[in-house]
C-alpha cells in the first residue's frame, strides 16, 4: 500500500507497467499511423481495449476510494466532480438521474445550495432516466467539487450569457454567425476587443475533400495538391438545442459515399466552440480536412509539440517550407499576431497545415495499400471532436495551451451516495503557479513510497514555481526523469509548499515523502 495517508488502497506498479506496455506496443511506427497490414489492427484494437478496460477499473477504484472520504450530505443526488488538471476550471459535465414527475423539474445546486446552469439533454422513457448537462463553476485544481441534482416544482432561473438568434450564437466571449445555406461560419467576433477573427469573405469551419493519391506509398505519404471539393452545399443546417446551458447547431453534409454530421456546441462561460463530428466514411484515395481563414497576416504558425511549442512557416518560398505542407501537432495549432488570433484545437487528430492565413486540420483519409484489397482502411463510422478558439493577442496571451488541455481532459462526474465524510465538499489536493507551468503527472515513485510530481514550463520563461502539496511532507527532492539523482528541496508552509527555480521549457520532477498512513 502507498504510505501516503490520503490513499490507503493498494497501488500496483506492476499493473500500470502492463498497461503501458500494451499502449506503447501500439505506438510502433506502422501501427500508429495506419501503414500496417490488416492483422496489425486486430491485435492493436485488442491491446488498446484491454488497456482501456484495465485503466477504467483502476480509475473507478481510485475515485471510489476518494469519494468515500468526502462529505456528500444534502438534498438530492450527489455527484463529485473531479478536475484532473492543475488549474481551477469552469466546465460542463453530463450526469444521469431518475426522470422527475411531469409536475417537477430538475435543478442542480452546488454544496452551498446555489443553483447552477443546467439543461436536459435527453430523456429515456423506457428506463426513466434523464441526462442533464450542468455548468460547474470553480472546480479546484487537481481536486473536486460536490454538486447535487434534485427534483423541484420550479427550478430557479440562473442568468446565462448564451443567446441564439436564427443561426447566430453568442456568449460573453464571442458572437458567431453561420450561413444556413452553406454551413460556413461567416463571422466570428471576439467580443472583449470587438475584433473579427474570420478573414473577409472567408468560410470558417469549412470541410474540404482532396484527391489523395501518393505516387508510391498510400499509407505513408500524403498528396493533396490536385482536385478538391468544398462542402458548401449542406443537406441541412438547423438549431437542435437552444437553452441556457448550451446551444447546438447541427450541420449535415454528404460527399460521394460518405455522410457527415457536425454538432456545433456553444456554452456560456466557455471561450471555445466545440465541434462534435460523426462521419460514415466510405471513400478511397480521399483526404478530409477542416479549415479556418484567419483575419491576420503572419509568416509563422505555432503548434503544440510534446512539452512545448514550435513555429513553422505559413509561406512556401523554399524547398524546406514546401516540405511542410503537412505537419504534426498535439492538441492545437494557432495563427496569431500581436492583436488577435485563432487556435484550432483537437482531441484526437494530429495532422495540420498552415498556409497564408488559413489553418487546417486533417480529419480522415483512405489509402488502399497495404489494407487488404484496398477496402478497409478507415472505412466505417467515426466520431471525433475539434474546437474553434478565437482569442485576443497571441497564443500565450490568449491562453491556448490551457484550452487545448481543457478540451482533451473533461471534468469527471461520479455519482455517490449521501454520506458524512472528513473531507469538505470542495477541495484542491495539489496546485501549482505561475500560469506558465502545467502538472502532467502525479504518481507513486517507482522505487520508494514517495509521490512523484512532474511539471513543465511551456512559455519559454524562467520562473520560481510554487508547488502546493496535498499533505504535510517530511522531505522533498528534485530528481531526473528516471526519478534518480535527488537534490534536496526546502519545504515551506509547515511542509505544505515547495519553491523550485525552473528554467525556460524545463521538464521538472519532484519527489515528496509523507508520513506513513498507519503511523
Amino acid at each position: 500500500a502507498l504510505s501516503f495517508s490520503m490513499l490507503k488502497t493498494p497501488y500496483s506498479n506492476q499493473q500500470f507497467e502492463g498497461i503501458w506496455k500494451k499502449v506503447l506496443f501500439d505506438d510502433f511506427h506502422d501501427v500508429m499511423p495506419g501503414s500496417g497490414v490488416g492483422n496489425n489492427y486486430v491485435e492493436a484494437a485488442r491491446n488498446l481495449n484491454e488497456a482501456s478496460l484495465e485503466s477504467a477499473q483502476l480509475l473507478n477504484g481510485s475515485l471510489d476510494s476518494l469519494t468515500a472520504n468526502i462529505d456528500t450530505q444534502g438534498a438530492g443526488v450527489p455527484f463529485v466532480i473531479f478536475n484532473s488538471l492543475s488549474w481551477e476550471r469552469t466546465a460542463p459535465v453530463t450526469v444521469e438521474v431518475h426522470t422527475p414527475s411531469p409536475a417537477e423539474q430538475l435543478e442542480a445546486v452546488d454544496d452551498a445550495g446555489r443553483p447552477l446552469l443546467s439543461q436536459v439533454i435527453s430523456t429515456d422513457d423506457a428506463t426513466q432516466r434523464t441526462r442533464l448537462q450542468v455548468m460547474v463553476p470553480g472546480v479546484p485544481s487537481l481536486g473536486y467539487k460536490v454538486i447535487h441534482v434534485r427534483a423541484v416544482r420550479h427550478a430557479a432561473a440562473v442568468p446565462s450569457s448564451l443567446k441564439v438568434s436564427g443561426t447566430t450564437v453568442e456568449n460573453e466571449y464571442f458572437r458567431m454567425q453561420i450561413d444556413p445555406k452553406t454551413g460556413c461560419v461567416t463571422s466570428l467576433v471576439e467580443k472583449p476587443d470587438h475584433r473579427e477573427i474570420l478573414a473577409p469573405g472567408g468560410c470558417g469551419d469549412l470541410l474540404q475533400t482532396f484527391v489523395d493519391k501518393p505516387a508510391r506509398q498510400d499509407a505513408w505519404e500524403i498528396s493533396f495538391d490536385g482536385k478538391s471539393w468544398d462542402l458548401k452545399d449542406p443537406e441541412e443546417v438547423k438549431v437542435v438545442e437552444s437553452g441556457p446551458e448550451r446551444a447546438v447547431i447541427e450541420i449535415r453534409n454528404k460527399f460521394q459515399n460518405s455522410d457527415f454530421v457536425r454538432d456545433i456546441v456553444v456554452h456560456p462561460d466557455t471561450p471555445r466552440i466545440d465541434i462534435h463530428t460523426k462521419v460514415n466514411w466510405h471513400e478511397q484515395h480521399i483526404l478530409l480536412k477542416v479549415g479556418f481563414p484567419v483575419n491576420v497576416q503572419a509568416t509563422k504558425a505555432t503548434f503544440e509539440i510534446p512539452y512545448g511549442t514550435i513555429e513553422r512557416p505559413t509561406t512556401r518560398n523554399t524547398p524546406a517550407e514546401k516540405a511542410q505542407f503537412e505537419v504534426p501537432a498535439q492538441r492545437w495549432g494557432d495563427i496569431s499576431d500581436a492583436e488577435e488570433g485563432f487556435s484550432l484545437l483537437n482531441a484526437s487528430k494530429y495532422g495540420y497545415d498552415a498556409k497564408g492565413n488559413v489553418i487546417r486540420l486533417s480529419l480522415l483519409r483512405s489509402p488502399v495499400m497495404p489494407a487488404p484489397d484496398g477496402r478497409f482502411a478507415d472505412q466505417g463510422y467515426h466520431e471525433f471532436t475539434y474546437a474553434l478558439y478565437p482569442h485576443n493577442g497571441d497564443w500565450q496571451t490568449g491562453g491556448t495551451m490551457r484550452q487545448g488541455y481543457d478540451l482533451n481532459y473533461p471534468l469527471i462526474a461520479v455519482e455517490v451516495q449521501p454520506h458524512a465524510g472528513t473531507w469538505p465538499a470542495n477541495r484542491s489536493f495539489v496546485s501549482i503557479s505561475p500560469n506558465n507551468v502545467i502538472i502532467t503527472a502525479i504518481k507513486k515513485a517507482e522505487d520508494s513510497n514517495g509521490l512523484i510530481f512532474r511539471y513543465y514550463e511551456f512559455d519559454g520563461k524562467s520562473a520560481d514555481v510554487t508547488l502546493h502539496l496535498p499533505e504535510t511532507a517530511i522531505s522533498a527532492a528534485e530528481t531526473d526523469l528516471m526519478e534518480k539523482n535527488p537534490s534536496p528541496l526546502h519545504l515551506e508552509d509547515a511542509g505544505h509548499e515547495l519553491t523550485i527555480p525552473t528554467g525556460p521549457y524545463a521538464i521538472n520532477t519532484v519527489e515528496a515523502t509523507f508520513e506513513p498512513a498507519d503511523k
Side-chain angles (χ1 to χ4, degrees):
L2 175 62
S3 61
F4 171 51
S5 63
M6 293 173 63
L7 303 176
K8 300 175 183 178
T9 55
Y11 187 106
S12 175
N13 289 64
Q14 186 175 2
Q15 189 174 9
F16 275 116
E17 183 176 335
I19 294 170
W20 271 116
K21 284 181 176 179
K22 290 174 183 176
V23 172
L24 295 174
F25 184 85
D26 288 336
D27 277 357
F28 176 70
H29 71 265
D30 276 329
V31 174
M32 185 168 57
S35 52
V37 296
N39 287 343
N40 288 358
Y41 300 102
V42 175
E43 184 174 356
R46 181 173 62 247
N47 276 342
L48 293 176
N49 284 334
E50 289 175 358
S52 178
L53 177 61
E54 292 174 35
S55 299
Q57 290 171 339
L58 283 172
L59 176 62
N60 292 338
S62 299
L63 296 180
D64 287 344
S65 179
L66 292 173
T67 58
N69 298 283
I70 302 171
D71 186 346
T72 61
Q73 298 175 99
V77 179
F79 291 86
V80 181
I81 312 303
F82 286 98
N83 173 15
S84 62
L85 298 178
S86 55
W87 54 88
E88 182 180 281
R89 299 166 69 193
T90 295
V93 297
T94 300
V95 299
E96 189 176 288
V97 294
H98 187 271
T99 302
S101 70
E104 293 179 313
Q105 299 175 329
L106 289 174
E107 181 178 68
V109 298
D110 65 13
D111 60 291
R114 292 181 290 258
L116 305 175
L117 271 172
S118 64
Q119 186 171 322
V120 171
I121 302 303
S122 65
T123 299
D124 188 333
D125 293 333
T127 61
Q128 294 187 312
R129 302 289 287 176
T130 292
R131 293 172 66 239
L132 186 76
Q133 191 163 91
V134 184
M135 182 61 67
V136 185
V139 185
S141 160
L142 285 159
Y144 65 84
K145 183 171 187 172
V146 177
I147 67 170
H148 289 79
V149 178
R150 60 196 185 191
V152 295
R153 287 288 180 179
H154 299 287
V158 181
S160 172
S161 62
L162 193 57
K163 299 177 183 177
V164 180
S165 177
T167 52
T168 297
V169 185
E170 64 181 297
N171 62 16
E172 68 268 45
Y173 294 102
F174 57 80
R175 181 175 63 254
M176 175 181 63
Q177 296 177 10
I178 296 176
D179 184 348
K181 294 181 179 179
T182 64
C184 295
V185 174
T186 53
S187 176
L188 183 57
V189 175
E190 196 260 329
K191 288 173 72 172
D193 293 330
H194 303 287
R195 295 182 183 276
E196 175 62 68
I197 300 297
L198 183 76
C203 174
D205 193 36
L206 173 64
L207 292 180
Q208 295 178 292
T209 53
F210 302 83
V211 171
D212 175 23
K213 213 165 186 179
R216 291 175 295 179
Q217 302 184 98
D218 276 18
W220 289 261
E221 299 177 5
I222 288 179
S223 177
F224 58 96
D225 285 337
K227 188 175 182 180
S228 65
W229 299 264
D230 291 348
L231 276 57
K232 290 184 177 181
D233 188 19
E235 293 183 314
E236 191 173 35
V237 177
K238 65 177 180 180
V239 177
V240 294
E241 291 186 41
S242 179
E245 195 277 333
R246 77 175 193 175
V248 181
I249 298 176
E250 182 184 88
I251 303 177
R252 292 180 174 269
N253 292 88
K254 186 174 181 62
F255 171 76
Q256 294 185 162
N257 301 309
S258 301
D259 300 288
F260 311 85
V261 179
R262 283 173 290 167
D263 285 341
I264 301 178
V265 183
V266 177
H267 297 277
D269 305 314
T270 305
R272 69 172 195 268
I273 302 153
D274 293 348
I275 318 290
H276 302 308
T277 307
K278 292 171 278 189
V279 182
N280 190 12
W281 182 252
H282 296 286
E283 305 302 326
Q284 292 185 359
H285 283 140
I286 295 293
L287 171 67
L288 174 69
K289 282 181 172 280
V290 64
F292 196 98
V294 187
N295 191 27
V296 300
Q297 296 298 323
T299 58
K300 293 184 181 296
T302 306
F303 300 88
E304 187 194 10
I305 59 174
Y307 290 91
T309 59
I310 189 171
E311 289 186 337
R312 295 187 171 109
T314 60
T315 52
R316 299 291 186 266
N317 298 324
T318 67
E321 291 179 354
K322 292 175 183 178
Q324 298 182 57
F325 60 90
E326 183 85 357
V327 297
Q330 284 199 302
R331 286 165 279 256
W332 54 268
D334 179 270
I335 294 182
S336 302
D337 59 21
E339 302 297 328
E340 61 185 345
F342 173 84
S343 301
L344 186 54
L345 315 175
N346 85 84
S348 64
K349 304 292 181 179
Y350 308 110
Y352 283 80
D353 73 277
K355 183 179 180 181
N357 66 330
V358 178
I359 186 167
R360 296 187 297 203
L361 177 66
S362 293
L363 302 176
L364 285 169
R365 62 188 302 257
S366 46
V368 300
M369 186 275 288
D373 302 323
R375 294 178 299 179
F376 305 117
D378 283 348
Q379 301 296 301
Y381 182 75
H382 297 258
E383 281 193 37
F384 48 84
T385 298
Y386 59 93
L388 316 178
Y389 177 48
H391 57 81
N392 67 329
D394 57 18
W395 67 268
Q396 291 108 320
T397 304
T400 292
M401 187 67 81
R402 284 189 172 186
Q403 289 299 321
Y405 272 88
D406 284 346
L407 177 66
N408 279 264
Y409 299 96
L411 299 176
I412 302 170
V414 179
E415 182 179 352
V416 296
Q417 294 296 317
H419 57 69
T422 57
W423 295 356
N426 215 331
R427 181 173 186 176
S428 170
F429 294 118
V430 181
S431 61
I432 196 168
S433 62
N435 292 339
N436 55 317
V437 290
I438 293 175
I439 294 176
T440 59
I442 301 176
K443 59 182 284 291
K444 181 185 175 296
E446 294 298 310
D447 301 321
S448 74
N449 279 331
L451 201 61
I452 295 294
F453 301 85
R454 180 160 294 128
Y455 68 89
Y456 76 105
E457 196 286 323
F458 62 80
D459 209 8
K461 299 175 182 176
S462 297
D464 286 331
V465 171
T466 299
L467 177 65
H468 185 81
L469 302 173
E471 279 192 353
T472 301
I474 57 176
S475 66
E478 187 173 358
T479 74
D480 59 23
L481 289 172
M482 299 301 292
E483 304 174 16
K484 307 291 185 182
N485 302 314
S487 176
L489 291 168
H490 174 66
L491 287 162
E492 303 165 352
D493 189 22
H496 280 85
E497 277 191 358
L498 296 165
T499 299
I500 311 107
T502 300
Y505 306 115
I507 305 171
N508 280 26
T509 303
V510 173
E511 179 176 356
T513 304
F514 302 87
E515 291 283 1
D518 55 357
K519 185 172 180 179

